[in-house]
Amino acid sequence: MDRLDAIFAPETIAVIGASTQKGKVGHDIFANILSGGFKGTLYPVNPKAKSVLSVKCYTQIANIPDPIDLAMIILPPKPALNAVKDCIEKGVKGIVIVSAGFKEVGGIGAQIEKEIKTLCENAKVRLVGPNCLGVINPSPKVSLNASFSARMPTAGNVSFISQSGALCTAVLDYAADKGFGFSKFISIGNKADVDELDLLRYYYNDPDTDVVMIYMEELSRSAEEFISEVRQMTSGTNPTHVIAIKSGSSDAGAKAAASHTGALAGSDALYDAIFTMSGILRCATVNQLFDYAQAFAANKYPTGEKIAIITNAGGPGIIATDMSEQSGLKLAEFSQETSKELKKYLPATANFQNPVDVIGDAAKDRYENTLATVLSDRGVDAVLIILTPQSMTDAIGTAEAIVNIARHSIKPIVCSFMGVVDVSDGVKLLQKHKIPVYQFPESAARSLGALRQGMQWLFRKILPQYKLTYDTAKANLIIETYLKEGTTVFSEQDGNELLKCYGFKTLPMALSKDITQACKIAGEIGFPVVMKIASKDILHKTDAGGVMVGIEDSDSVKKAFETIMEKAKAYNPDARIDGVLIQKMVPKGKEVILGLSKDPVFGHAVMFGLGGIFVEVYKDVVFRLSPMGRNVARRMVRAIKGYPILKGLRGEKPSDIETIEKHIVSLKAMADNHPMIKELDINPLFVHEEGEGTTVADILIRLDDQEG
């Protein structure tokens, strides 16, 4: 038995702080449990009242004759602390503290919350809140509405988690309008104990939950623990689909970063990484959250990306086509048999190709025959049906036909019944039979795309891990030298030595202090060469005019040396300049960026994207965190928009993508082995043709001021 059963399916509840005064939270929560038809026994606790809503009141929980599963506490912080002590003494199994004034206001409230958390932990009592809406379980076996929302939702197969209580009431209202049902519904507030991961574990084992919706403000677990566990829940033969919306993502901390990686690694980018690696589908709006949940709750999934669109109006069909393609879907090409069959049922003015236009005067039978025909086509993986209300449109009849056909089909069907009043009866019928229905075709198409994305996650390729070896001893020596000296920014030469320890190929280079030395070094390395300013006070050399490429002879070396020194001094007169670095010119290749950034909450994130100047212009980059292996690296490379450039466009040979993947794994290993690395940029990393590896062109490495 799970300890959270006491929260979601209690047999006895005590409401501590139950009030006789209507409008007070203590009254309304008690009234909601009572009027919601709770199947267990309910006890109000209030030393100043004889009864609440005609139910006998107890002065304290200790006086209740029966054992108590769940205590709802609606009291200010100090009395709440005493109530928690009384609950523990009574042997209560679960506590929900609805009232506010705790960690969210700081000071004494935060101290009391900490004390309550410790008490509950020691007593092995699960605690929800404080500062939350409460808990709802619409199952007819339980019928629990222990919240201050008067609305009890209908039972369904979607469970909801929210940090915001206020959002919960709006969501319940919206769900009622959409005919949307819930299995479990909870607001977790300050998360003193029970958090998203606890609830995801519970929902994963709950036979009544197929889909989970989350409204998240911040994650209280380590990213690695969250990703590792949730990935197991969203995978395998019995997955739970998780859809999330994340608010309050601030990128303010990224502004102080020196590297491109650090500047792009805002918290929103890291949450994107967490969700992607966990198999959680992220939404941008609450509307989208409902749209996707509705599609997943139907429990029918496309096995491919080919869809058929049936519409009674051309314009909405075009909108659906555009959004389908944007959502990673493709229009199916009908077989000859399908086209031949369609001609039997449709008028000559209809469009027999995809999207199928059944014409504005289409009645129920035309939709029914067309749907049955396209569903039977082996090249069709899913169907999107659009109905616009016209004078002869039979919305309810068409909905009945769709329901009848859907019963016998394993392929997903989504509908867009456009409008509100004229199509409402048809919409209600579709909702009743769990057929996803949307007001506009773009929402329907986007939701089908989300279903396809969910299937791609489930059937993703899993390859054996790379066996890579590193010279960690040498890397430690290099880093320790810097730590002893109290220097945080690496010279490019030392940075290259560190990268070589982790399998990166670097170019011959040497530091010149004057023009004569520069000419000598360039001659030894061999032309053409690249010349760069060497200064720990000038991190972005290009911005300072401190980089010159393609230098072919000694005269050019002399001119370049003078120009670089002049520009560097003009850029930062106080900069300490070590000299000019001479480096062998990089062989031809595609420019990408690889980087590390250390987040104070989630630890090291690896970044990959298009490099060189493109990183600033297009910001086509992705981040991933621990746990990092070959498969994460592989999907990471394929996640950028510029991936086709690496695959080879217009007859170009493909780039060495496997070496990039190995570098990503190696960079994460470097971060794990040397946690004092704060930021690292390899920009650009030149990627050569398949089998020819990569070459590091420019790097920036910065350590933490203190190890950690």
Side-chain angles (χ1 to χ4, degrees):
M1 186 173 170
D2 196 294
R3 287 195 290 145
L4 284 178
D5 285 340
I7 306 286
F8 285 108
E11 291 181 10
T12 50
I13 303 174
V15 180
I16 305 172
S19 172
T20 54
Q21 197 176 329
K22 199 174 179 183
K24 283 202 164 187
V25 176
H27 175 279
D28 293 355
I29 285 180
F30 186 84
N32 289 341
I33 299 171
L34 201 61
S35 62
F38 175 54
K39 295 294 188 282
T41 312
L42 184 60
Y43 301 93
V45 177
N46 183 338
K48 295 176 183 173
K50 281 191 174 181
S51 66
V52 177
L53 292 172
S54 305
V55 179
K56 180 189 171 184
C57 213
Y58 290 84
T59 53
Q60 54 186 4
I61 194 168
N63 297 344
I64 297 172
D66 296 326
I68 299 295
D69 291 332
L70 173 63
M72 301 290 300
I73 298 176
I74 309 109
L75 296 170
K78 283 182 183 174
L81 175 60
N82 293 327
V84 167
K85 289 174 182 173
D86 293 343
C87 288
I88 289 168
E89 209 170 304
K90 173 73 178 170
V92 166
K93 294 171 189 169
I95 295 172
V96 176
I97 302 177
V98 174
S99 35
F102 292 86
K103 185 174 74 178
E104 77 281 4
V105 298
I108 295 167
Q111 287 172 27
I112 291 173
E113 181 174 320
K114 205 172 177 184
E115 205 176 328
I116 288 172
K117 178 182 178 173
T118 306
L119 285 168
C120 290
E121 266 178 12
N122 294 340
K124 292 186 166 47
V125 172
R126 296 316 307 256
L127 167 69
V128 173
N131 184 28
C132 69
L133 172 106
V135 58
I136 301 172
N137 183 350
S139 164
K141 298 174 199 164
V142 180
S143 197
L144 172 65
N145 179 10
S147 77
F148 54 79
S149 168
R151 195 185 289 280
M152 169 72 100
T154 55
N157 62 339
V158 180
S159 285
F160 188 79
I161 304 167
S162 175
Q163 260 184 273
S164 163
L167 180 79
C168 286
T169 51
V171 163
L172 287 166
D173 192 52
Y174 185 87
D177 180 57
K178 295 278 177 193
F180 196 92
F182 290 102
S183 169
K184 313 282 184 293
F185 194 102
I186 193 165
S187 152
I188 49 179
N190 293 0
K191 300 193 284 186
D193 171 30
V194 174
D195 66 6
E196 293 90 353
L197 186 53
D198 290 313
L199 292 165
L200 283 168
R201 287 180 190 130
Y202 186 79
Y203 291 159
Y204 179 65
N205 292 311
D206 175 24
D208 298 329
T209 300
D210 296 320
V211 184
V212 180
M213 298 162 74
I214 304 178
Y215 168 80
M216 188 186 286
E217 287 171 8
E218 61 181 352
L219 191 61
S220 46
R221 299 278 182 143
S222 84
E224 187 166 1
E225 180 189 17
F226 185 84
I227 292 165
S228 299
E229 287 209 43
V230 178
R231 192 158 60 188
Q232 299 302 316
M233 300 173 199
T234 59
S235 304
T237 52
N238 184 32
T240 297
H241 301 285
V242 184
I243 308 157
I245 183 168
K246 166 77 182 69
S247 75
S249 292
S250 164
D251 292 344
K255 289 174 186 169
S259 65
H260 291 299
T261 308
L264 292 166
S267 63
D268 204 52
L270 298 187
Y271 273 102
D272 253 348
I274 290 166
F275 291 146
T276 302
M277 292 175 74
S278 306
I280 293 175
L281 196 62
R282 187 175 185 182
C283 304
T285 64
V286 176
N287 251 336
Q288 237 177 58
L289 195 68
F290 271 95
D291 286 350
Y292 293 178
Q294 195 187 153
F296 279 98
N299 277 329
K300 288 184 182 181
Y301 306 100
T303 53
E305 61 193 4
K306 305 281 173 54
I307 69 157
I309 297 171
I310 301 169
T311 179
N312 67 345
I318 294 165
I319 292 169
T321 302
D322 291 346
M323 184 50 74
S324 297
E325 287 181 359
Q326 286 174 41
S327 303
L329 301 168
K330 289 177 183 169
L331 287 189
E333 284 186 27
F334 296 147
S335 66
Q336 286 183 331
E337 290 83 358
T338 298
S339 299
K340 192 177 172 184
E341 192 69 17
L342 287 173
K343 284 173 184 172
K344 291 181 187 175
Y345 310 120
L346 298 178
T349 50
N351 181 35
F352 305 102
Q353 298 308 311
N354 201 2
V356 184
D357 188 346
V358 294
I359 310 299
D361 63 356
K364 166 188 173 175
D365 61 331
R366 206 180 288 170
Y367 268 104
E368 189 168 16
N369 293 329
T370 304
L371 176 59
T373 302
V374 299
L375 270 175
S376 63
D377 191 313
R378 287 188 178 182
V380 172
D381 300 309
V383 180
L384 194 166
I385 299 167
I386 302 167
L387 179 142
T388 61
Q390 298 177 36
S391 57
M392 65 295 291
T393 304
D394 178 7
I396 188 81
T398 303
E400 282 169 356
I402 293 166
V403 167
N404 288 337
I405 292 171
R407 258 191 212 115
H408 309 292
S409 174
I410 58 166
K411 295 178 183 179
I413 300 167
V414 301
C415 304
S416 170
F417 275 34
M418 297 178 73
V420 179
V421 178
D422 294 346
V423 295
S424 59
D425 289 343
V427 166
K428 280 174 188 163
L429 185 73
L430 292 169
Q431 286 170 342
K432 185 183 169 188
H433 289 89
K434 285 194 172 179
I435 293 169
V437 57
Y438 305 93
Q439 201 167 353
F440 297 110
E442 55 267 43
S443 299
R446 206 186 283 121
S447 301
L448 258 186
L451 278 181
R452 177 67 189 141
Q453 214 177 313
M455 290 308 284
Q456 284 172 317
W457 168 256
L458 280 176
F459 294 103
R460 64 195 185 279
K461 191 183 274 189
I462 308 288
L463 297 170
Q465 296 300 335
Y466 292 125
K467 289 177 181 173
L468 303 171
T469 54
Y470 312 115
D471 191 346
T472 49
K474 187 181 175 185
N476 276 325
L477 282 173
I478 297 167
I479 290 169
E480 278 165 21
T481 305
Y482 274 78
L483 292 172
K484 280 173 189 168
E485 290 172 0
T487 311
T488 57
V489 179
F490 269 55
S491 72
E492 192 156 348
Q493 286 166 294
D494 290 336
N496 272 291
E497 288 303 310
L498 181 64
L499 289 179
K500 280 201 271 191
C501 298
Y502 281 85
F504 287 85
K505 182 186 169 191
T506 61
L507 291 163
M509 65 171 66
L511 182 68
S512 62
K513 299 281 188 181
D514 54 44
I515 288 174
T516 307
Q517 198 180 8
C519 291
K520 185 173 179 285
I521 291 166
E524 287 169 357
I525 285 175
F527 294 103
V529 295
V530 177
M531 295 175 68
K532 309 174 190 177
I533 192 70
S535 169
K536 287 167 187 172
D537 297 319
I538 301 174
L539 299 180
H540 296 297
K541 305 175 188 76
T542 309
D543 294 350
V547 179
M548 298 191 80
V549 300
I551 294 160
E552 299 278 2
D553 52 48
S554 293
D555 286 342
S556 303
V557 170
K558 290 172 189 174
K559 286 175 191 168
F561 192 98
E562 287 169 354
T563 305
I564 286 169
M565 292 297 269
E566 280 169 20
K567 286 187 175 178
K569 281 168 186 169
Y571 179 77
N572 182 356
D574 300 323
R576 293 161 293 175
I577 295 171
D578 300 323
V580 175
L581 200 66
I582 316 290
Q583 186 181 36
K584 182 77 177 165
M585 188 87 173
V586 184
K588 190 184 168 192
K590 300 287 190 303
E591 293 183 35
V592 300
I593 183 171
L594 271 177
L596 283 174
S597 179
K598 188 176 185 180
D599 182 81
V601 178
F602 299 131
H604 282 101
V606 179
M607 183 182 86
F608 169 73
L610 288 182
I613 59 166
F614 298 118
V615 70
E616 291 174 17
V617 179
Y618 300 121
K619 295 182 172 64
D620 183 16
V621 297
V622 289
F623 288 84
R624 296 293 182 264
L625 302 119
S626 289
M628 170 76 73
R630 178 185 186 175
N631 296 292
V632 170
R634 185 174 176 275
R635 288 191 289 275
M636 192 176 178
V637 173
R638 283 154 178 74
I640 65 164
K641 293 184 184 75
Y643 177 63
I645 295 170
L646 298 173
K647 281 287 285 179
L649 291 169
R650 296 182 180 178
E652 280 190 339
K653 289 183 179 177
S655 301
D656 198 333
I657 293 166
E658 189 173 1
T659 298
I660 301 173
E661 292 169 6
K662 286 178 179 175
H663 285 337
I664 289 170
V665 175
S666 298
L667 262 195
K668 189 63 182 70
M670 186 192 289
D672 293 341
N673 294 335
H674 316 289
M676 64 292 291
I677 296 172
K678 187 176 184 179
E679 300 179 80
L680 183 151
D681 263 4
I682 305 171
N683 183 37
L685 174 75
F686 279 82
V687 188
H688 311 303
E689 287 180 3
E690 199 167 34
E692 292 180 15
T694 65
T695 308
V696 174
D698 202 3
I699 60 162
L700 186 159
I701 301 176
R702 198 160 72 140
L703 303 177
D704 260 337
D705 293 336
Q706 290 180 323
E707 187 177 334

